[in-house]
Amino acid sequence: MAINELSLDQQGIILLAALVLFSSFSMLAQPRLLSLVNTFALQGLLLSATTVLVALVSGHHHLYLSALLTLLLKALLIPWMLRRLVNRLGLHGEIEPLERPNLVLLGAAALVVFCYYVSLPIVQLSTMLTRNTIAISMSVVLLGMLMMIARRQVVAHVVGFMSIENGLFFAAVVSTYGMPMVVELGIAFDVLVAAVLFGVFFFHIRESIDSLDVDRLNRLSEVER
Amino acid sequence: MNPIFPVLLIPLLGVPLLLLIGHSRRAAQVNVLLNVAGFGASLWLALEVHDRGLVMSPGRQLFVDAFNVYLIVLTTFVGMTTAIFSAPYMEHERQRGRVNQRRLQLYHASYQGFMLAMLLTLSTNNMGVMWVAMEGATLATVLLVSLYRTPESIEAAWKYFILCGVGIAQALFGTVLLYFAASGSDVPAEDRLLWTVLHAHSPSFDPVVMMLAFVFLLVGYGTKVGLVPLHNWLPDAHSEGPTPMSAVLSGLLLNDALYAVVRSKMLVDGALDSGLPGHLMMGFGLLSFLVAVLFLHRQHDIKRLFSYSSIEHMGLMTFAFGIGGPLATFGALLHMTVHSLTKSAIFVTVGHAAQLAGTQKIDHIRGLIRTQPAIGWGLLLGTVAIAGFPPFGVFTSEFLLLSATMKSWPWLVVPLLAGIAIAFAGLFRYIQPMVYGAAPEGQQPIRANMTAVYLHLLLVLWLGLAIPGPLARWFGEATTLIAGSSPL
């Protein structure tokens, strides 16, 4: 289907979804921690905007509530917490360059293609307005994982973790117009608790290894030292 | 009142209560009392399920049938005995200066939070809530793993958090796909995540989507089961946390994650007739079993040793549920019970042994029987039981599993038998010098509460000699639910 055959609403949803995916890519290669957190907040904002548009087009009103929840949690509260932690840990000037950025970004592009391939059977079954973006939601999940693999800094890991959650939420919105409210509230609660615990851990990790580089968490193995 | 509510309400009230009074010396006793009450409530629930066959809450969000009721009873029972053990153990740790009163407050509140998450995972009818509760169980225990604040324990907790968090995210994607599969049929929108509804309608779901959903669910919940290659968090988290945590993680959390996998398989099997989910589980199970068995041979830490033994047994159960069939399923259900009883008993004993020797290093734990026979014999008998010797229950369940394998996949008996033998060798090469041998100079007996250990081992022995009639009927009913018919 060519893009000009789609309705304007659908084109809008695809545009926003593409921007969400773009924010994932830009997080992957962003070396400055504060900019990383800001990009994450932007992704939350875009996600929430997409949800509002989907709610408008599909007429599923409970999605407004999900959009609000996402806005508060993913675009405001968690980025605020992360920014505060980065400042309190004195990391605001910290630059963590990605090793082999070309390889990682090419790998990320390959993952997106892979997601389009995997989601083909789902897309064929769906009759929803948003079906073209299911692959994008899956890509956001996998790019979040790739980010956790490629980067070394704990703050980057947490942003990757939260961006996986973003991808999952996006998947629920575009493939089924959201999950039942009780489940969404539960997930939001879990994410919030996880964010608080991550904050606690930053301090513990720094206290114990005097750094926030996960490569230095390497004491536990089967090999006796 | 619906008999499911008190089971969940007791830990739900326990969390704020222990947060409030957790700093006082009484907190440990209150924790024990709460767990005893929880066990009582679960027995009442079990009686109700026995009479009615199925108990469902009015909104259909909670449901208990023959399969999960026995896991609920097991969870509250092990939770209770571990709490009884934990009270003097943690007091001893406090006197050694490894924890302070504030951390004990966190410990007790998290203990109840963990019980709540476990029981909610088991009793919910909503696949989405099941995910939320499973993630909640990670969150409740992650600060307990790092309770001692040593660099090792913080590393273990971080690994546990990240690996389980990312792993279980896959399960959420699988849940979304389930919801999607259900939206293609005539199931009303608000019922699309209810397990009972999905199970009834699963033949009308699209098989490709269901298979995709199952892969994600298996990888997600499989991470928490400790299936290889997603097992790396397990030995770390089990070895670095306080011992009562190791006992409940190994005895309960792994079972509950496997429960989630089996529930997912039941849904997907209805939509597919290829048996692919079963084959996937068999593959993952066998791989975990064999890898863990080999890793048993290169351990230096006694808790890591038994963590790998847990991976081995979880692999075996996953394999058995994968085979399907009444006999294998019956064996797997029995194995879940005896493994969690034996393993929690072993971890309790190991905790005492480590306190006695002042270290968890295998090389420095020596002469347990000489110094304190109760602990030495407890460790020896526990290991004999977990290695699958008759007349203990693990032998019975492993025998059932092997005969079921012999029937449907005769060649796979060879790696299984070899694995069991290698595991036996791996366990005993370390246990023998720890239990026998001369005690180091100046090793003094400690105050140990071994009641729970011997109670668990007696139950395992009983299950090995003769499974009581009502329990066998329970297992039979659960097997009928999962596999379609009962071997009894």
Side-chain angles (χ1 to χ4, degrees):
Chain A
M1 197 179 342
I3 189 127
N4 54 9
E5 288 169 30
L6 295 172
S7 69
L8 218 52
D9 307 325
Q10 278 174 303
Q11 290 186 29
I13 292 170
I14 291 177
L15 176 69
L16 282 172
L19 287 174
V20 170
L21 185 63
F22 176 72
S23 64
S24 261
F25 269 94
S26 95
M27 276 197 277
L28 201 57
Q30 177 58 259
R32 280 177 190 280
L33 286 181
L34 266 187
S35 311
L36 181 68
V37 174
N38 290 339
T39 319
F40 171 72
L42 180 70
Q43 188 177 52
L45 192 68
L46 285 167
L47 204 58
S48 157
T50 320
T51 314
V52 169
L53 190 59
V54 172
L56 259 175
V57 176
S58 68
H60 282 74
H61 295 298
H62 73 275
L63 279 179
Y64 289 118
L65 204 58
S66 316
L68 185 70
L69 210 60
T70 312
L71 184 73
L72 289 178
L73 207 62
K74 302 281 182 51
L76 299 172
L77 186 63
I78 292 178
W80 174 77
M81 283 166 68
L82 284 172
R83 235 175 264 136
R84 217 173 65 123
L85 283 168
V86 166
N87 284 329
R88 272 178 63 192
L89 289 163
L91 296 172
H92 46 274
E94 180 125 330
I95 291 173
E96 187 228 350
L98 194 62
E99 282 170 40
R100 302 192 206 85
N102 298 340
L103 202 64
V104 171
L105 287 174
L106 274 177
L111 276 181
V112 176
V113 176
F114 172 73
C115 287
Y116 269 95
Y117 170 72
V118 173
S119 60
L120 268 182
I122 309 173
V123 175
Q124 276 166 357
L125 270 179
S126 175
T127 51
M128 289 174 33
L129 293 164
T130 49
R131 61 182 177 276
N132 298 306
T133 49
I134 293 173
I136 292 186
S137 68
M138 207 188 262
S139 314
V140 173
V141 173
L142 291 189
L143 291 187
M145 283 170 105
L146 181 65
M147 182 167 155
M148 295 179 80
I149 295 167
R151 308 205 47 166
R152 306 264 165 274
Q153 226 279 342
V154 278
V155 181
H157 272 223
V158 172
V159 172
F161 184 92
M162 292 294 166
S163 127
I164 292 178
E165 293 283 337
N166 276 350
L168 291 169
F169 172 77
F170 196 33
V173 170
V174 297
S175 65
T176 57
Y177 294 137
M179 304 281 265
M181 211 57 224
V182 49
V183 179
E184 269 185 25
L185 285 175
I187 294 171
F189 174 74
D190 276 352
V191 168
L192 187 64
V193 176
V196 173
L197 289 183
F198 276 129
V200 175
F201 263 100
F202 287 165
F203 291 99
H204 288 176
I205 290 179
R206 203 177 55 166
E207 229 170 77
S208 82
I209 61 170
D210 217 21
S211 134
L212 282 170
D213 185 339
V214 284
D215 269 4
R216 293 183 55 186
L217 291 172
N218 58 1
R219 284 165 180 261
L220 296 167
S221 76
E222 307 316 321
V223 187
E224 187 78 331
R225 281 165 214 271
Chain B
M1 188 166 68
N2 192 298
I4 307 177
F5 293 148
V7 174
L8 294 173
L9 275 178
I10 291 168
L12 185 66
L13 295 175
V15 177
L17 180 68
L18 282 168
L19 271 181
L20 277 178
I21 62 150
H23 52 276
S24 81
R25 293 283 166 87
R26 287 279 167 76
Q29 271 73 41
V30 174
N31 190 31
V32 172
L33 276 180
L34 282 166
N35 279 294
V36 171
F39 180 57
S42 78
L43 283 183
W44 181 43
L45 175 66
L47 278 177
E48 288 288 314
V49 173
H50 185 74
D51 290 346
R52 294 198 249 160
L54 182 85
V55 174
M56 207 180 266
S57 72
R60 285 181 306 159
Q61 290 292 328
L62 303 169
F63 100 114
V64 176
D65 62 12
F67 180 23
N68 50 5
V69 74
Y70 99 91
L71 283 171
I72 290 176
V73 174
L74 188 66
T75 300
T76 50
F77 177 72
V78 175
M80 176 181 75
T81 49
T82 310
I84 293 171
F85 152 71
S86 131
Y89 180 87
M90 293 315 283
E91 180 58 26
H92 188 261
E93 295 290 277
R94 195 184 64 79
Q95 282 162 7
R96 280 170 73 193
R98 293 188 77 182
V99 287
N100 55 27
Q101 214 52 258
R102 241 191 77 230
R103 284 192 205 153
L104 278 183
Q105 179 179 7
L106 172 78
Y107 169 82
H108 286 123
S110 297
Y111 195 102
Q112 289 297 320
F114 175 71
M115 291 308 288
L116 174 67
M118 288 287 83
L119 292 168
L120 187 59
T121 309
L122 289 173
S123 59
T124 181
N125 191 15
N126 186 322
M127 293 297 282
V129 174
M130 182 190 270
W131 184 88
V132 170
M134 199 61 111
E135 173 81 1
T138 313
L139 299 173
T141 42
V142 73
L143 281 183
L144 293 186
V145 171
S146 65
L147 195 72
Y148 294 144
R149 300 280 193 276
T150 58
E152 285 84 4
S153 69
I154 287 170
E155 177 185 339
W158 180 258
K159 253 190 193 171
Y160 173 48
F161 200 177
I162 291 288
L163 266 170
C164 281
V166 173
I168 209 159
Q170 312 304 309
L172 183 57
F173 198 81
T175 312
V176 171
L177 287 177
L178 269 185
Y179 194 62
F180 174 76
S183 62
S185 68
D186 51 357
V187 183
E190 66 276 12
D191 291 351
R192 280 180 197 152
L193 276 177
L194 295 188
W195 187 87
T196 40
V197 178
L198 289 174
H199 191 236
H201 286 78
S202 62
S204 64
F205 297 162
D206 182 76
V208 181
V209 177
M210 287 301 270
M211 192 57 221
L212 210 55
F214 181 74
V215 171
F216 279 101
L217 288 166
L218 177 65
V219 170
Y221 292 130
T223 310
K224 293 214 92 169
V225 179
L227 295 181
V228 174
L230 309 155
H231 67 288
N232 299 54
W233 64 272
L234 194 148
D236 297 349
H238 287 210
S239 62
E240 297 306 323
T243 301
M245 264 307 110
S246 320
V248 288
L249 282 180
S250 227
L252 303 180
L253 181 72
L254 305 183
N255 267 359
D256 290 13
L258 186 59
Y259 164 81
V261 172
V262 175
R263 281 277 186 216
S264 313
K265 176 174 181 276
M266 288 163 82
L267 287 182
V268 180
D269 271 341
L272 268 84
D273 42 10
S274 62
L276 202 55
H279 295 165
L280 270 180
M281 283 174 75
M282 281 171 65
F284 268 112
L286 196 60
L287 182 71
S288 313
F289 174 73
L290 293 174
V291 168
V293 153
L294 293 175
F295 267 103
L296 279 178
H297 280 266
R298 45 179 317 174
Q299 297 307 320
H300 303 280
D301 183 303
I302 183 168
K303 277 168 137 186
R304 282 184 90 84
L305 179 73
F306 286 109
S307 313
Y308 275 101
S309 155
S310 289
I311 300 179
E312 172 211 337
H313 287 278
M314 293 322 284
L316 205 57
M317 287 173 226
T318 313
F319 175 78
F321 278 121
I323 295 180
L327 193 59
T329 309
F330 189 91
L333 289 173
L334 182 62
H335 201 74
M336 267 172 127
T337 317
V338 289
H339 171 256
S340 92
L341 288 173
T342 318
K343 196 45 73 61
S344 45
I346 288 180
F347 270 113
V348 168
T349 321
V350 162
H352 284 316
Q355 276 187 342
L356 183 72
T359 172
Q360 283 174 212
K361 290 255 173 295
I362 290 176
D363 292 342
H364 297 123
I365 305 177
R366 287 292 178 263
L368 290 178
I369 287 187
R370 287 267 167 82
T371 319
Q372 196 162 2
I375 295 177
W377 282 108
L379 188 59
L380 187 64
L381 287 175
T383 313
V384 166
I386 204 73
F389 273 92
F392 287 102
V394 181
F395 171 77
T396 318
S397 57
E398 283 184 351
F399 187 78
L400 287 175
L401 297 185
L402 284 173
S403 13
T405 317
M406 190 63 118
K407 245 195 220 160
S408 34
W409 305 82
W411 281 103
L412 290 181
V413 174
V414 179
L416 285 183
L417 270 179
I420 289 172
I422 298 171
F424 159 74
L427 285 172
F428 271 85
R429 66 184 277 195
Y430 294 120
I431 293 301
Q432 211 242 354
M434 279 196 276
V435 172
Y436 297 112
E441 290 282 317
Q443 185 162 279
Q444 292 298 323
I446 53 162
R447 250 187 63 217
N449 182 359
M450 298 292 286
T451 340
V453 174
Y454 287 109
L455 181 63
H456 281 204
L457 289 179
L458 265 177
L459 281 175
V460 173
L461 183 64
W462 188 15
L463 286 174
L465 293 172
I467 304 174
L471 194 63
R473 260 202 310 286
W474 237 359
F475 283 147
E477 271 173 43
T479 310
T480 315
L481 280 176
I482 301 167
S485 59
S486 163
L488 296 176

